[in-house]
Amino acid sequence: MKLQLIIGLVHHITSSLYNKTEKPPLDGSEGRTWMEEGQSQTQLTAVDGPDEAATDDGDRPAWDSKIQYVLAQVGFSVGLGNVWRFPYLCHQNGGGAFMLLYVFLLVVVGVPLFFMELAAGQSIRQGSIGVWKHISPKLGGIGYSSCMVCFYVALYYNVIIAWSLFYMGNSFQYPLPWEKCPTNVTSNDTVKECAASSPTSYFWFRKALNITNSIEESGEFNPIMTGCLLAAWAIVALAMIKGLQGFFGKVMYFSSIFPYVVLFIFLIRGLLLDGALEGITYMFYPKLEIWGNVQVWRQAATQVFFALGLGYGSVIAYSSYNPVHNNCHRDALMVSCINFMTSVLASLVVFIVLGFRAKNIALRCVAENLSVLNLLASSGSNQHWWPWFNMTDVSTVTLAEYREWYHLYSSMVGPKITDCSLEQEMNKGVEGTGLAFIAFTEVMAFFPASPFWSTLFFLMLLNLGLSTMFGTMQGILTPLMDNFSLLGRHRTLLTVSSCALGFIIGLLFTQRSGNYFVTMFDDYSATLPLVIVVIFETISVAWVYGTDRFLDDIEIMLKWRPPVVYKYLWKYVCLLAMVSLLAASLLRMVFKGPTYTAWNQSTASEMTLEYPGWALAMIIMLIVFASLPVPVSYIYSLVKNRWVRSTPSQVEVGQEMRRELYTKCSSTEQPDSHFQPVHFREDEVHPRPAFLSVGNEHYRLLSQEEDEEEEEEQDTGV
C-alpha cells in the first residue's frame, strides 16, 4: 500500500509538471501561457524527435502545389507599384545608379526581412495576429496593426481596380474616346478645358473622375465609378469566398501569369517604335552623384519595403499554408529576384513608351516651329539665319538637324521659335495614375488597332491589382479566422461582410473629390504604420525571442542552418535601416508639410495645394489608429499579467496540496483514508514538452515490479 501511494504521488506530480510547462501546439490554437518578463513564450516549432517531423494542423487549408504558392506570393508582391512607381523613381533618381542602390538595399534589408516573415508564418502556421501572440502575448498588437493597414490599403486599392474596369470598358470602341477633344454642342468649338490640356488629360479628369478643384469641394457621387467599385468588390468577394480550395486558388494562375505575357508583348511591340532606343538609353544612364542625396536613399528603401509587401501580414498568411519543412529560404530569394526582374521589365516597357511619346512631342514641336518659319518666309522676310534644310517638307527634317540650327541662332529667332528637346520631355516625370491613365493612353492612341492594345493594357492593370488585392484581403481574413474561432467557422459571412464594409467606406473615393482621398490614403495611411509594424516585428524576433533560437527553429524546419549573417542583419542592419526610414519620413512630413496635387478646371492644369486643417487631422487619425494596437496590446497584457499574478492560480493551489501530502508522508501520520492512488497503464505514453532540451539520458516511470526489484537491490547493498 505504501509503495502504491508513493507511485501515485510521483505520477501526480510529474503529470502536473508536464501540464504546467506543456508547449502550445504548432498552430497555436490552444494552451497558451503568459511569458515571463523579457522572455519569449515558447519555441516556434514543435519537435517530436530528432528525425520526426512536426505535426501539421490537419484542419488548416494548404496550397494545391508549390507553383500555386509561388504565384500567389509573386502576385501579391508584384503590383501596380512595379509598373508605375519603380520606373518613375528610376526616371527621377539617376536611372542605373538608382537601380544599383535598390539592389543593395534589397539584398541587405529586403531579403532578410522577407525571409523572417516567411519563416515565422511557416513555423507557427498562423496569421499575423497569431504569430506575434505566439512569440509573446504582449506583441499581439503587431498583428492587429497589420490588419488595420491592410484594410486601409484594400479601401483605396479597389478604387484603382474600379478605374481600370472603367477604362477597359471604354476600350471596346473605335476610335478610343480619349483620342480627340470633344466639341461644344452649343458653339461647335473644341471644349476649352481639353484644348488647353490634352485629350487624355481631359478624359481622365473630366470624363472619368469629374474632379473638383480641391479636396474641400466634395461634390456629388460619381454614379459610373460607384458601379465600377461595386463590381470590383464583387469580384474580390467571389474570389475569396471559398479560400484556397475555391475560385481564389484557381484564378491565381491567370492573374499572376497574364501580366508577364502582356509586358513581353508590349516590350516586343515597343522595341519597334521610333524613340525606343532613346528611352532605354535614358533609363540605364547612371548618375552616381545621387548616392549622396539622403532623400534618394529614403525613396529606394521605401520602394524595397513596399515592393516585397513587408508588414502587411499577407506574406505570413500565405506562408502559413505551407508544409512545415518547405524551403522558405529559397522561396525568399526566388520571389525577391522575380520581383526585381519584374520591376526592370516594367521599367523597360515604360521607358520605351515614354521615349516614343517624347520623340513624337518633340517632332510635333519641330513641325509647329517650321510652319511659323514658313509664314515668315512667305511674308518676304529674308534673314541670314534661315535654316539650311528644306522647311517645306517637314518629314525630311530630323530632330538633330533642327536642334543644331536652333542652338546656333536661338538668340536671333525671337520668342515664337522654341527649342524642341527630347531630353526635356523625358525629364517630365510621370508616375502613378498619371502614367497609367494619361501617358500610356496617349501613346496607345497612336498604335494601329488601338482598342486592342488599350484593352490588353487595362486588363493587365486589372490582374495586377486583383492579385495584390487578394493578398491584402488574405492578410485581413486569415489572422481573424485563426484568432477567433467563431469567425473561422463562418468564413463566407466574414468575407462578404468585409467586402460590403469596404464598399460602403469606399464610397468616400467615388465622390468628385475622391481622387484626392485616394492620394491621401496612398501617401500617409500605410507608409508610417507599416514601417512601425516592421520595426516591432524585427525587435520581437531579434531581441525578444532571440536570433539564435529563431535560427535553431529554422534549422529544424529546413534541416540545415541558414548563414549566421542573418543574425547580424536582423539584430542591427535591418533594425537600423527601418528606424532611419521612419525618422526620415517623419522629418520630411514635418518640415515639408503634407501636400497634394489638384486639377484646376479653369486653367486646365495641375497645381500643388496644402491640405486643410480637417484633412491634416484625418491624416493623423489614420496613422494613430493603425499604430495604436501595438501599445494598447502591450499595456493590456501587462495589466492582465499583474492581475493573474495577484490571483491564486490552480497551479499554486495544487502545489500547496502536494506540499501537505509530502509533509504527511514524511511523518508518522498516514494520509487520509479517502485518498486513492492514481493507477496508470504501463504502455501509456506521456508527451514530452517540446521546448525542453533533450539530453542523452531518458527517464521513465517504473512499474510496480521493477520498483520492488530496485528496493530489494538497495536492501542487499547492490
Side-chain angles (χ1 to χ4, degrees), residues 485-498:
S485 58
L486 178 63
L487 298 178
R489 292 194 298 268
H490 300 87
R491 180 189 178 92
T492 301
L493 181 60
L494 175 64
T495 304
V496 174
S497 301
S498 300

Side-chain angles (χ1 to χ4, degrees), residues 538-582:
T538 310
I539 291 174
S540 63
V541 170
W543 294 96
V544 176
Y545 187 75
T547 51
D548 290 325
R549 296 180 64 194
F550 191 59
L551 288 173
D552 291 340
D553 296 330
I554 296 176
E555 183 178 5
I556 294 172
M557 286 197 303
L558 305 185
K559 299 187 177 179
W560 60 272
R561 192 174 185 84
V564 71
V565 67
Y566 282 111
K567 172 181 177 179
Y568 302 101
L569 290 176
W570 287 329
K571 291 188 71 171
Y572 305 110
V573 178
C574 294
L575 191 57
L576 179 62
M578 289 295 101
V579 172
S580 301
L581 177 59
L582 178 63

Side-chain angles (χ1 to χ4, degrees), residues 251-377:
V251 77
M252 193 57 64
Y253 289 99
F254 178 78
S255 63
S256 298
I257 295 176
F258 181 75
Y260 290 95
V261 176
V262 176
L263 284 175
F264 276 109
I265 292 174
F266 269 96
L267 178 64
I268 296 171
R269 179 66 181 88
L271 290 173
L272 304 177
L273 297 174
D274 186 23
L277 184 61
E278 287 85 347
I280 295 175
T281 303
Y282 189 92
M283 170 184 170
F284 285 105
Y285 183 77
K287 300 175 183 177
L288 300 179
E289 62 272 11
I290 60 100
W291 287 359
N293 190 341
V294 177
Q295 288 303 318
V296 175
W297 284 80
R298 183 190 65 82
Q299 290 178 337
T302 304
Q303 181 60 23
V304 169
F305 187 77
F306 285 105
L308 295 176
L310 300 173
Y312 286 94
S314 304
V315 174
I316 295 175
Y318 277 164
S319 63
S320 70
Y321 299 119
N322 271 333
V324 177
H325 294 299
N326 173 64
N327 193 339
C328 55
H329 183 261
R330 182 178 58 196
D331 294 342
L333 297 176
M334 179 171 55
V335 173
S336 300
C337 290
I338 293 175
N339 189 294
F340 172 68
M341 296 308 297
T342 304
S343 298
V344 174
L345 174 62
S347 298
L348 278 172
V349 174
V350 168
F351 274 87
I352 286 172
V353 170
L354 292 180
F356 170 71
R357 175 175 175 264
K359 193 156 190 178
N360 271 276
I361 294 174
L363 289 176
R364 284 204 303 268
C365 171
V366 171
E368 291 171 0
N369 286 327
L370 289 181
S371 64
V372 173
L373 289 174
N374 282 324
L375 289 175
L376 292 175

Side-chain angles (χ1 to χ4, degrees), residues 423-436:
E423 290 78 12
Q424 187 176 358
E425 292 298 329
M426 288 293 296
N427 284 331
K428 296 177 181 178
V430 187
E431 68 164 328
T433 55
L435 175 63

